[in-house]
């Protein structure tokens, strides 16, 4: 290969797609490293503090697409303090300086500011796609800047972000000359948008295929939009609530049949059963249906819509669907690959929810099921063992039994055997979340069988350090380990310190880790950042007096070549 | 060896305590405390000591901040029944150092949470604010995960002291549990409320956002080497602040004073360990440092102005107050 001119090598590398393969290729020799880095077009940074942005931009000057992730996953559940970090601005600045050809930026769990968005909008003349997931720190002013300066923008996708509402006019900043939009998702915005501007924008973008409206968009407005966007593939409906005696309702009822290409439906925030009927005509073509924001739709109405959706591949619902509804899913949706069942009302008592029966039904009826997120009040070992037999193709299995530490209600046993069956049977399992009563035994199983496991989430489980040690010694491909409220201490933390350099990160909160343990870890492994997050109890004097026996509330350990970060707030100590 | 008491705790579970104090110890001298701790079943089981150590830490943080949320009356019945089962099992079975009764970390953990909830209920804390700053995940503060539950609980200022009296409800409100995003927690509540205004949800979310931010300032007390932090946003008046400071340092003070009365004090809301903080009548006085670095007496300016300018707090011995070192705020 070394006798080939660079252009040929580069052409061969074009066929090397995945990040991992390209990373491997670049380590062969210096020549290949050079060719690879100059021809790389997409870079994914799983932890924004693992490397400095300048280094990434210097190595890959030709990138067109950059993805960066910030906060640890548990930040989604408010376990990470508000100003922990994960700032996007350094990445935007570095890219602006070195990689002006950037076309796509994807950020997840990062703090993005309006200034950052404006810098982004002004710095990249070919910018096409901005995807922000679970980010915060910006307002509709930042969106206005994107709309104003990104000529040729194709995609603006805002998923589950915290966006401050500074008015409804940001949509109007898309110039009349903007006709390039393919995908627009502002479902997470809380405020109103200018209806007229929205309608005009939709009308002048003939390539628009994905449109996700926020809850503030009324049915009247939706009707006008639908009239202009018959080529939509993906629709988020807005509030979808209107009195059935109005004209708007009747218009809505007649709107959907013409959508021959529609495949994905979501939104439905305030949808009533009446209004839901409007989408029946398109159900037979749907591959993705998300009704998980619609608590007003109860079991029977859910069943009515689901029994039409026989091509469904992805379904997100609330647990009001009940075991009965899941049985209908099992008998109708033979193509189903992903199922998510969210809890409807976690404070109420006596609302319908799902049990192991529902999961059993789906596992036996849907042979292609490979991704599951299931919130329920109880689960049995027998059910899990059967599910494991029925569905050996799970790649993602996340089960959340809402009572922490709840055993199998029939046998009163821990759920070790059930989860053990899952990891034994599902050889391609990449992501696993555990719940219920669990002893060290389940971790023994995971360490032994879960060879491809990349992400493991543990809560209120285990008896001793052995549990964590089984996992660290066993799972060869483990990348992310997040643990809360488990009796794992320093012995487990320090048993296999080299493992952490093979992983992206470790999160432990409310466990038995002490300051001394973390100090030892930091001393042994200089290329890890061992962050201690101490929100309540520190002053300068306290820090000096802190004994090594002091139990730590939250630690976050990650490999890095960037050294300790310089933007840590004062409640984060990096050892 | 001294036992540290953190204010009166009603003897809640007869079958657990056997007259001993179940309450938390300070985190200092933890090794010593192990020997004093109540054990269910035979001592020597290492799992138990792990639990005891764990109990020390969260309990400490339970008392420290002023932002203790109101505990909803309804908590997890299965947790409490688990607690009961765990206790009676442990009393009955007698293995050496093994876990034949199958009570596990989770059940014990939940027992301890249960006790924590009830202990704080007895104190009758009123604050409804949920703050993100609280690190006490296993602290028995019962973080209320959303305004919905907070409202539900605010009307139930009860001193229910038995787990059996708790009605069955959803899982106990532990921080970050169940693992769903905040906006999903509010869905049912906001749907039941008027479906007209989309801003309703944004109000709830904004409240959560603001609550999350908190406003923590450091506070030190004379004679105590360990400083604390207090969340000013969680207090909405000087009175609340005084209570919060009282809470923060109570245990430490009593450790210093070895107050034998503290263990038996039933009502803790009314008795201040540090009386007269604000009116300069007591042994201690609360002062603060403002954004210009001046030391001021707490209580002279309107509350909102105080919150926006206070950078650091200090509890001084009143005898140490020196006129020249304080600037008197002009009203």
């Amino acid at each position: 290969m070394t006798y080939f001119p660079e252009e040929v090598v580069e052409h061969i590398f074009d066929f090397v797609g995945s990040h991992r393969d390209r990373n491997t290729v670049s380590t062969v020799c210096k020549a290949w490293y050079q060719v690879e880095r100059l021809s790389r077009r997409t870079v994914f940074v799983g932890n924004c503090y693992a490397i400095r942005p300048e280094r990434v931009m210097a190595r890959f000057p030709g990138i067109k697409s950059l993805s960066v992730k910030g906060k640890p996953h548990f930040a989604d559940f408010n376990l990470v303090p508000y100003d922990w970090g994960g700032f996007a601005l350094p990445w935007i600045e570095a890219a602006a300086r070195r990689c002006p050809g950037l076309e796509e930026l994807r950020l997840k769990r990062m703090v993005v500011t309006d200034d950052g968005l404006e810098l982004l909008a002004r710095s990249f003349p070919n910018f096409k796609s901005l995807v922000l997931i679970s980010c915060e720190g910006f307002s509709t002013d930042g969106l206005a800047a994107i709309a104003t300066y990104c000529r040729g923008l194709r995609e603006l996708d805002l998923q589950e972000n915290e966006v401050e509402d500074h008015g409804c006019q940001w949509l109007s900043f898309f110039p009349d000359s903007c006709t390039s939009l393919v995908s627009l998702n502002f479902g997470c915005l809380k405020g109103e948008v200018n209806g007229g501007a929205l309608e005009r924008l939709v009308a002048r973008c003939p390539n628009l295929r994905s449109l996700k409206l926020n809850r503030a968009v009324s049915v009247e407005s939706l009707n006008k939009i639908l009239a202009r966007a018959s080529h939509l593939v993906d629709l988020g409906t807005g509030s979808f609530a209107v009195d059935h005696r109005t004209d708007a309702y009747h218009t809505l009822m007649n709107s959907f049949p013409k959508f021959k290409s529609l495949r994905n439906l979501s939104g439905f925030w305030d949808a009533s059963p009446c209004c839901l009927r409007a989408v029946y005509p398109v159900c037979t073509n749907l591959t993705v249906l998300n009704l998980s924001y619609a608590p007003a739709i109860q079991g029977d109405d859910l069943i009515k819509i689901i029994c039409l959706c026989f091509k469904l591949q992805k379904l997100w619902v609330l647990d009001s669907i009940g075991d009965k509804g899941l049985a209908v899913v099992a008998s109708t949706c033979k193509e189903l690959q992903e199922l998510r069942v969210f809890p409807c009302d976690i404070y109420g008592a006596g609302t319908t929810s799902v049990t192991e029966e529902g999961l059993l039904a789906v596992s036996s009826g849907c042979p292609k099921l490979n991704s599951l997120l299931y919130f329920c009040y109880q689960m049995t070992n027998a059910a899990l063992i059967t599910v494991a037999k029925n569905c050996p193709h799970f790649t993602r299995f996340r089960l959340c039994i809402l009572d922490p530490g709840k055993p199998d209600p029939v046998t009163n046993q821990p759920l070790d055997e059930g989860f053990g069956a899952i990891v034994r049977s599902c050889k391609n399992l990449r992501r696993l979340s555990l719940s219920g009563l669990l002893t060290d035994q389940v971790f023994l199983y995971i360490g032994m069988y879960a060879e491809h496991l990349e992400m493991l989430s543990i809560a209120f489980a285990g008896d001793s350090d052995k549990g964590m040690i089984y996992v660290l010694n066993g799972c060869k491909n483990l990348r992310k380990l997040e643990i809360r409220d488990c009796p794992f201490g320093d012995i487990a933390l320090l048993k296999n310190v080299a493992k952490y350099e093979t992983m992206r990160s470790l999160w432990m909160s409310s466990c038995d880790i002490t300051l001394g343990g973390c100090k030892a870890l930091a001393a042994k492994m200089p290329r890890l950042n061992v962050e201690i997050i101490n929100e309540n109890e520190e002053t300068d004097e306290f820090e000096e007096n802190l004994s090594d026996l002091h139990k730590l509330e939250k630690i976050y350990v990650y490999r890095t070549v960037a050294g300790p970060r310089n933007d840590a707030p004062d409640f984060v100590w990096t050892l | 060896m001294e036992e540290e008491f953190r204010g009166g705790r009603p003897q809640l579970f007869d079958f657990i305590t056997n007259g001993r104090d179940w309450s938390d110890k300070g985190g200092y001298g933890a090794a010593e405390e192990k020997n004093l701790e109540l054990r269910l079943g035979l001592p020597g089981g290492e799992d138990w000591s792990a639990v005891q150590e764990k109990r020390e830490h969260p309990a400490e943080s339970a008392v420290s901040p002023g932002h203790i949320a109101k505990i909803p009356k309804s908590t997890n019945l299965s947790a409490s029944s688990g607690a009961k089962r765990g206790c009676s099992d442990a009393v009955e079975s007698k293995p050496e150092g093994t876990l034949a009764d199958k009570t596990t970390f989770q059940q014990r953990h939940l027992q301890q949470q249960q006790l924590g909830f009830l202990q704080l209920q007895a104190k009758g804390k009123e604050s409804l604010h949920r703050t993100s700053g609280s690190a006490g995940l296993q602290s028995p503060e019962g973080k209320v995960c959303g305004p919905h539950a907070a409202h539900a609980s605010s009307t139930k200022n009860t001193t229910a002291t038995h787990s059996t009296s708790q009605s069955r409800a959803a899982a106990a409100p532990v921080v970050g549990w169940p693992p769903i995003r905040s906006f999903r927690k509010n869905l049912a509540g906001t749907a039941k409320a008027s479906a007209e205004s989309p801003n309703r949800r944004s109000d709830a979310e904004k409240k959560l956002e603001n609550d999350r931010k908190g406003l923590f300032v450091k506070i030190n007390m004379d004679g105590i080497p360990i400083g604390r932090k207090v969340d000013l946003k969680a207090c909405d008046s000087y009175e609340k602040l005084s209570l919060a400071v009282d809470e923060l340092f109570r245990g430490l003070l009593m450790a210093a004073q070895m107050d034998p009365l503290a263990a038996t004090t039933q009502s803790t809301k009314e008795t201040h360990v540090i009386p007269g903080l604000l009116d300069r009548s007591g042994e201690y006085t609360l002062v603060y440092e403002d954004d210009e670095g001046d030391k001021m007496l707490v209580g002279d300016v309107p509350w909102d102005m105080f919150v926006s300018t206070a950078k650091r707090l200090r509890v001084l011995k009143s005898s140490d107050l020196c006129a020249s070192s304080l600037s008197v705020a002009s009203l």
Side-chain angles (χ1 to χ4, degrees), chain A residues 1-2 13 24-36:
Chain A
M1 277 286 271
T2 44
F13 286 179
T24 309
V25 142
S26 68
T27 59
V28 167
C29 63
K30 282 201 178 134
W32 280 28
Y33 175 87
Q34 284 300 328
V35 173
E36 195 282 320

Side-chain angles (χ1 to χ4, degrees), chain B residues 295-316:
Chain B
K295 296 212 170 27
M296 323 265 274
L297 285 168
V298 167
D300 285 343
V301 302
W303 173 254
D304 289 323
M305 194 189 304
F306 166 71
V307 171
S308 61
T309 56
K311 293 291 168 253
R312 203 168 170 143
L313 291 169
R314 199 164 183 91
V315 182
L316 295 178

Side-chain angles (χ1 to χ4, degrees), chain A residues 3 42 45 131 239 389 391 399 494:
Chain A
Y3 303 115
T42 311
V45 180
V131 180
S239 74
K389 251 194 294 238
C391 292
L399 179 67
L494 296 170

Side-chain angles (χ1 to χ4, degrees), chain B residues 28 37-38 50 76 78 81 86 94 110 130 163 167 177 187 194 201 211 231 233 241 252-253 278 290 299 310 325-326:
Chain B
Y28 332 103
E37 275 161 14
L38 186 66
N76 187 2
S78 66
S81 58
K94 304 281 177 240
L110 289 165
R130 181 180 80 94
S163 61
S167 54
W177 191 266
L187 270 180
S194 154
R201 187 164 74 109
D211 289 351
D231 183 4
K233 277 208 177 172
L241 175 64
L252 298 166
L253 254 190
L278 296 174
D290 69 5
S325 67
L326 293 168

Side-chain angles (χ1 to χ4, degrees), chain B residues 102-120:
Chain B
K102 297 223 169 25
T103 48
T104 64
F105 174 82
Q106 295 95 306
Q107 287 182 328
R108 284 177 251 127
H109 178 88
L110 289 165
Q111 283 172 38
Q112 172 245 318
Q113 279 202 331
Q114 197 71 18
L115 293 171
F117 293 145
L118 298 167
Q119 288 160 356
L120 288 168

